[in-house]
């Protein structure tokens, strides 16, 4: 079975940030063949999620993530980013999205977000692979 693979790179501007990457993934899917698209983030302090792209909800997610991460952590003695690692563990580093007729199968309001948990960062990688 042949697979098509690509990577996209993004930069983030805030410590915690949701970046809509739906259009970039749709473009990849339109130019490749397969029944599903695997989206993978090879980072220990970032993740992915699917949800509605509404400005207030984005702020709610960011505030919710900040509240979840409040505390003192042992790992902060080494890297000062224990919160990012813990939060990344709550989300997934990958999404597997069905594809029909070269289009992602998703709900009306579902958008795909890269979730930055340890920013700002440049050159965050997102691996895309058709299956």
């Amino acid at each position: 079975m042949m697979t098509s693979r690509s990577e996209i790179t993004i930069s983030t501007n805030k410590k915690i940030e949701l970046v809509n990457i739906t259009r970039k993934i749709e473009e990849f899917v339109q130019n490749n063949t397969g029944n599903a698209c695997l989206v993978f983030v090879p980072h220990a302090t970032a993740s992915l999620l699917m949800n509605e792209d509404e400005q207030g909800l984005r702020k709610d997610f960011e505030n919710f993530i900040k509240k979840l991460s409040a505390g003192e952590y042992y790992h902060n003695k080494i890297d000062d980013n224990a919160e990012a690692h813990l939060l990344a563990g709550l989300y997934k580093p990958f999404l597997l999205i069905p594809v029909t007729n070269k289009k992602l199968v998703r709900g009306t309001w579902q958008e795909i977000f890269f979730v930055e948990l340890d920013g700002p960062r440049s050159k965050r990688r997102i691996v895309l692979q058709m299956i």
Side-chain angles (χ1 to χ4, degrees), residues 35-40 48 50 92 94-99 104-105 129-131:
N35 295 317
C37 181
L38 175 66
V39 184
F40 174 70
L48 298 162
M50 289 183 79
K92 294 182 282 281
F94 70 92
L95 296 170
L96 183 60
I97 306 164
V99 172
L104 296 169
V105 177
Q129 185 162 332
M130 295 300 290
I131 298 173

Side-chain angles (χ1 to χ4, degrees), residues 112-129:
I112 304 161
F113 291 93
F114 174 89
V115 183
E116 175 63 72
L117 299 165
D118 193 27
R121 295 284 183 110
S122 62
K123 299 184 181 178
R124 286 293 214 172
R125 295 171 43 222
I126 302 161
V127 177
L128 307 175
Q129 185 162 332

Side-chain angles (χ1 to χ4, degrees), residues 14-119:
K14 300 188 297 187
K15 180 159 181 70
I16 297 173
E17 182 177 0
L18 276 68
V19 179
N20 190 326
I21 58 172
T22 308
R23 303 301 166 254
K24 292 179 181 188
I25 297 167
E26 286 176 334
E27 183 178 309
F28 169 76
V29 168
Q30 289 171 0
N31 293 313
N32 291 283
T33 302
N35 295 317
C37 181
L38 175 66
V39 184
F40 174 70
V41 175
H43 300 288
T45 58
S47 60
L48 298 162
L49 68 83
M50 289 183 79
N51 214 304
E52 183 177 352
D53 188 3
E54 188 274 320
Q55 186 177 11
L57 186 57
R58 266 196 205 198
K59 288 179 182 178
D60 289 339
F61 261 109
E62 291 172 5
N63 288 334
F64 182 71
I65 289 168
K66 287 175 188 173
K67 286 179 184 175
L68 281 178
S69 66
E72 294 183 29
Y73 302 102
Y74 296 107
H75 182 72
N76 282 345
K77 295 174 185 174
I78 298 169
D79 249 352
D80 199 30
N81 67 351
E83 300 88 348
H85 287 285
L86 293 167
L87 290 165
L90 296 177
Y91 293 100
K92 294 182 282 281
F94 70 92
L95 296 170
L96 183 60
I97 306 164
V99 172
T100 301
N101 298 323
K102 294 191 172 263
K103 292 187 179 182
L104 296 169
V105 177
R106 57 193 177 93
T108 302
W109 303 110
Q110 283 184 314
E111 298 285 320
I112 304 161
F113 291 93
F114 174 89
V115 183
E116 175 63 72
L117 299 165
D118 193 27

